[in-house]
Amino acid sequence: MEQPASGGEPAGAAGDAAEALDRPLPEGVRRRVVALVSDAFGGLTVAELPPQLRQYARFTPTRRAKFAGNAMAAALESDTLFRQRIGERVGKAQPELAKALAAGAPPAAADPVDVAAAAYVLRPAGWVKLVGAAGEEVQRADAERADEAGRRELERLRDELAEARGQIRTETERLRAELDGARKESESLGRKLRSAQADVKRGEAALRRTAAEIDSIKAQAAAQVSAAESESRRLKARLAEAEAAVEAGRRAAREGRSIEDMRLRLLLDTVLDAAQGLRRELALPPAGIHPADTVDAVEPGRMSPKDIAARALSETDPALLDQLLALPQAHVVVDGYNVTKTGYPTMPLEKQRLRLLGGLSVLAAQTGAEVTCVFDGAELAAPVLLAPPRGVRVLFSKPGVTADELIRQLVRAEPPGRPVVVVSTDREVADGVAKAGARPVTSALLLKRLSRLS
């Protein structure tokens, strides 16, 4: 490594000023220079490195060459002291090459790129010529490789051309054979076409004969239709005579209907009395399963307004509900949350349910009516743990089914003629169940009736 001369100026500064490259380093030489600097980089302390390169001190040589290549090349060109330190380590790593460059006689067998890279770092006398000669050598080698690649490509193209010519000859022969086959097929199709044209002419002649036959058949059919119309008019006259005879028979039958009705009523009473006696004799219990039990729901429905009279009571009079519950086999369906949120909306849902079910249990015990209370279970995160009170059926709607739809299912499940009372203030529910034959009442009416129980 050169020592600084007196006055602090490096000894090689004059030589650097005298010699300088007039063109950029060849790319191969530049990569080799970056590799030399990266390998020698690790032998320097952080203080010996230029400030802009200290952040790469702990990098491996490969990562240093990848991420700091441009920075190291710039520092090597601009910082003489850094270049001298790198040159000292290059000289230690490649002493024979360094001595030969210093003597101005680089080894003839050495790689020109290695010689140029070492000369660029060490900067011996005549280093510019060495770098230029290496660049020319690299260009000449690249040109030779390009010529060789061109020759190989030319040979490959010639082989492909010969192969393509052979394929063309084969394809031409195949196409000629196909053309001969197509000509023969065309001649065959021509013969078939002429035969088909002859068939078409014969068909047209047959069609004309058929059209003449159809005209003859139409004329015969018209004559038959005329004869049928005459027969139809004759039959209509006979039918009118028969209808008159039937009406006369009906009048005669109506005269004796009262006796037959009396006999039929007597027979019906006899059958009913026999059925009741048979039930008492067999001690048959009442039915234990009701239609509402068959509706698909989660466990923890009608009165026809045409058949039941309200005796002119007000729609808000609790006596109306008592009158409806007194009907035989009455079934009360309660829209649970509609009632609780009308009567006591500030209470938690659990206490709302318990309060309503307690009142319904007492009401069922007093009236003997079947009571079903429906709650909306579509938004429940988990099943409700609830023991239904005695006499009250408790149902929660399944996911995706609203309580309103479950109430309508309960009403549709009941047989026509059974009195069904639906308690809900929801107008859509009331209108829907009324069309199905149930008797809707308001939630306020039930709340008034329950208040009398407390």
Side-chain angles (χ1 to χ4, degrees):
M1 176 176 177
E2 299 180 9
Q3 300 295 326
S6 61
E9 181 69 22
D16 289 348
E19 293 189 65
L21 291 173
D22 58 352
R23 69 189 66 182
L25 279 174
E27 183 58 27
V29 177
R30 180 189 175 280
R31 287 196 299 269
R32 194 65 55 84
V33 169
V34 171
L36 289 175
V37 176
S38 179
D39 292 338
F41 199 97
L44 300 177
T45 64
V46 176
E48 292 175 333
L49 295 174
Q52 67 271 27
L53 297 180
R54 291 174 183 176
Q55 57 180 322
Y56 307 108
R58 296 185 180 182
F59 282 29
T60 62
T62 302
R63 293 186 71 233
R64 196 180 297 129
K66 179 178 179 180
F67 295 104
N70 293 333
M72 291 188 297
L76 191 70
E77 181 66 27
S78 61
D79 193 332
T80 304
L81 182 58
F82 173 67
R83 185 177 67 250
Q84 291 173 354
R85 289 169 176 168
I86 295 298
E88 179 180 353
R89 279 149 185 82
V90 172
K92 291 180 180 181
Q94 304 182 38
E96 296 180 357
L97 180 59
K99 291 179 181 179
L101 291 175
D111 189 343
V113 176
D114 291 339
V115 173
Y120 182 79
V121 175
L122 298 172
R123 302 290 175 95
W127 66 274
V128 174
K129 294 181 180 180
L130 292 174
V131 173
E136 293 174 357
E137 184 65 24
V138 170
Q139 291 178 355
R140 184 167 53 254
D142 290 343
E144 290 177 355
R145 285 194 296 272
D147 291 342
E148 182 64 23
R151 285 193 296 272
R152 287 196 298 269
E153 181 66 16
L154 180 59
E155 291 296 329
R156 185 184 65 80
L157 291 176
R158 286 175 177 172
D159 294 340
E160 290 182 357
L161 179 59
E163 183 180 357
R165 286 175 176 173
Q167 292 178 352
I168 291 174
R169 285 193 297 271
T170 303
E171 186 68 15
T172 300
E173 293 174 358
R174 185 183 65 81
L175 292 176
R176 286 177 179 173
E178 290 182 356
L179 180 59
D180 293 339
R183 287 175 179 172
K184 294 178 180 179
E185 185 177 358
S186 176
E187 293 174 356
S188 175
L189 290 176
R191 291 191 296 270
K192 291 180 180 180
L193 177 59
R194 289 190 292 272
S195 176
Q197 288 174 345
D199 292 341
V200 168
K201 291 180 180 179
R202 288 193 295 271
E204 290 176 348
L207 181 60
R208 287 191 293 271
R209 290 193 299 271
T210 303
E213 293 176 359
I214 291 174
D215 292 339
S216 175
I217 293 172
K218 286 181 177 180
Q220 295 176 3
Q224 293 176 358
V225 167
S226 177
E229 289 177 350
S230 300
E231 183 66 17
S232 175
R233 288 191 294 270
R234 186 181 64 81
L235 292 176
K236 285 181 179 180
R238 293 187 61 183
L239 179 60
E241 295 174 358
E243 288 177 348
V246 169
E247 182 61 26
R250 287 177 179 175
R251 286 195 299 268
R254 283 197 295 267
E255 295 174 355
R257 178 172 295 177
S258 58
I259 299 176
E260 295 297 328
D261 289 345
M262 180 183 65
R263 292 177 179 176
L264 181 60
R265 177 60 184 269
L266 179 59
L267 177 60
L268 179 60
D269 292 341
T270 302
V271 171
L272 292 175
D273 292 340
Q276 293 176 358
L278 183 59
R279 180 175 181 178
R280 288 192 301 270
E281 184 175 347
L282 296 178
L284 295 177
I289 300 178
H290 296 82
D293 294 327
T294 65
V295 176
D296 188 15
V298 180
E299 290 199 31
R302 124 180 157 189
M303 180 181 71
S304 172
K306 297 180 180 180
D307 300 334
I308 306 303
R311 299 188 199 169
L313 292 176
S314 172
E315 291 292 333
T316 60
D317 189 348
L320 174 62
L321 185 57
D322 290 334
Q323 178 182 343
L324 295 173
L325 296 178
L327 295 170
Q329 296 294 321
H331 184 185
V332 182
V333 180
V334 181
D335 188 349
Y337 287 139
N338 185 276
V339 175
T340 61
K341 292 181 181 180
T342 301
Y344 20 91
T346 60
M347 296 175 63
L349 288 180
E350 181 179 2
K351 293 185 177 181
Q352 290 183 22
R353 291 194 295 266
L354 293 176
R355 180 171 176 178
L356 175 60
L357 294 177
L360 292 177
S361 177
V362 177
L363 182 64
Q366 288 182 352
T367 62
E370 179 183 357
V371 180
T372 301
C373 187
V374 178
F375 293 105
D376 193 347
E379 298 181 358
L380 292 178
V384 176
L385 300 179
L386 177 66
R390 182 182 298 275
V392 180
R393 180 189 296 105
V394 181
L395 300 178
F396 287 87
S397 63
K398 299 173 68 175
V401 180
T402 64
D404 299 350
E405 178 59 27
L406 182 55
I407 291 172
R408 287 190 283 267
Q409 292 180 20
L410 288 168
V411 173
R412 290 194 296 267
E414 294 294 343
R418 184 183 184 185
V420 180
V421 181
V422 177
V423 181
S424 178
T425 309
D426 191 323
R427 175 50 54 189
E428 184 178 352
V429 174
D431 292 343
V433 299
K435 292 180 180 179
R439 176 64 158 85
V441 297
T442 63
S443 298
L445 188 62
L446 177 62
L447 291 169
K448 288 182 181 181
R449 180 62 178 84
L450 295 180
S451 65
R452 289 163 36 187
L453 302 177
S454 58

